[in-house]
């Protein structure tokens, strides 16, 4: 095992509104301390499941199931203890590094091209 699932992240134009929908639908609470206007988290702290996050994506073209020109839009966040070791292991499995990183995360693609993030605290 390289890491643990941290969050399933859904792109949307209004993270607070979509989070409110899923909070009511699933009965999962808002994590205010992990949320702001463009990133909203439901669930608990990292490592407590289930955990859904909603990320602002301006000018989002919503999915049009099952149209492959407008596919589903989400990614996985995976918590790791050692980013350097985790990156090496993920790349060895067939992942590739994508542009983009921030404080506590790096972005990759799985072998089929789906994005995911390796995260550390």
């Amino acid at each position: 095992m390289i890491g643990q699932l941290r969050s399933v992240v859904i792109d949307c134009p209004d993270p607070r509104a979509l989070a409110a929908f899923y909070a009511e639908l699933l009965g999962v609470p808002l994590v205010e301390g992990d949320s702001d206007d463009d990133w909203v988290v439901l669930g608990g702290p990292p490592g407590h499941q289930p955990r859904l996050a909603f990320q602002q994506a301006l000018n989002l073209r919503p999915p049009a199931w099952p149209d492959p020109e407008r596919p589903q839009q989400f990614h996985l966040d995976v918590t790791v203890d050692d980013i350097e070791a985790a990156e090496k292991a993920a790349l060895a499995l067939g992942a590739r590094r994508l542009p983009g990183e921030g404080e506590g995360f790096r972005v990759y693609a799985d072998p089929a091209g789906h994005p995911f993030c390796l995260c550390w605290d």
Side-chain angles (χ1 to χ4, degrees), residues 10-14 18 55-63 70-71 73:
I10 301 172
D11 288 352
C12 59
D14 186 344
L18 194 57
Q55 174 176 275
Q56 186 176 49
L58 300 174
N59 304 315
L60 177 77
R61 292 180 60 213
R70 306 236 333 247
Q73 299 157 359

Side-chain angles (χ1 to χ4, degrees), residues 56-101:
Q56 186 176 49
L58 300 174
N59 304 315
L60 177 77
R61 292 180 60 213
W65 179 262
D67 182 356
E69 293 299 315
R70 306 236 333 247
Q72 299 175 67
Q73 299 157 359
F74 75 95
H75 71 272
L76 301 178
D77 281 353
V78 178
T79 298
V80 299
D81 292 325
D82 178 340
I83 184 57
E84 301 305 330
E87 178 176 274
K88 183 178 178 181
L91 295 174
L93 287 174
R96 63 185 165 86
R97 184 81 187 270
L98 295 176
E101 65 181 271

Side-chain angles (χ1 to χ4, degrees), residues 5-120:
L5 179 64
R6 180 185 188 104
S7 305
V8 175
V9 181
I10 301 172
D11 288 352
C12 59
D14 186 344
R16 286 214 176 260
L18 194 57
F21 169 83
Y22 278 102
E24 188 68 24
L25 182 71
L26 302 173
V28 180
L30 174 71
V31 182
E32 194 61 53
D34 286 351
S35 301
D36 56 34
D37 288 338
D38 57 359
W39 177 264
V40 179
V41 177
L42 301 179
H48 291 79
Q49 302 301 327
R51 187 174 156 98
L52 287 173
F54 302 86
Q55 174 176 275
Q56 186 176 49
L58 300 174
N59 304 315
L60 177 77
R61 292 180 60 213
W65 179 262
D67 182 356
E69 293 299 315
R70 306 236 333 247
Q72 299 175 67
Q73 299 157 359
F74 75 95
H75 71 272
L76 301 178
D77 281 353
V78 178
T79 298
V80 299
D81 292 325
D82 178 340
I83 184 57
E84 301 305 330
E87 178 176 274
K88 183 178 178 181
L91 295 174
L93 287 174
R96 63 185 165 86
R97 184 81 187 270
L98 295 176
E101 65 181 271
E103 187 176 328
F105 73 92
R106 292 182 189 165
V107 183
Y108 303 83
D110 69 18
H114 302 107
F116 68 93
C117 295
L118 295 180
C119 307
W120 66 96

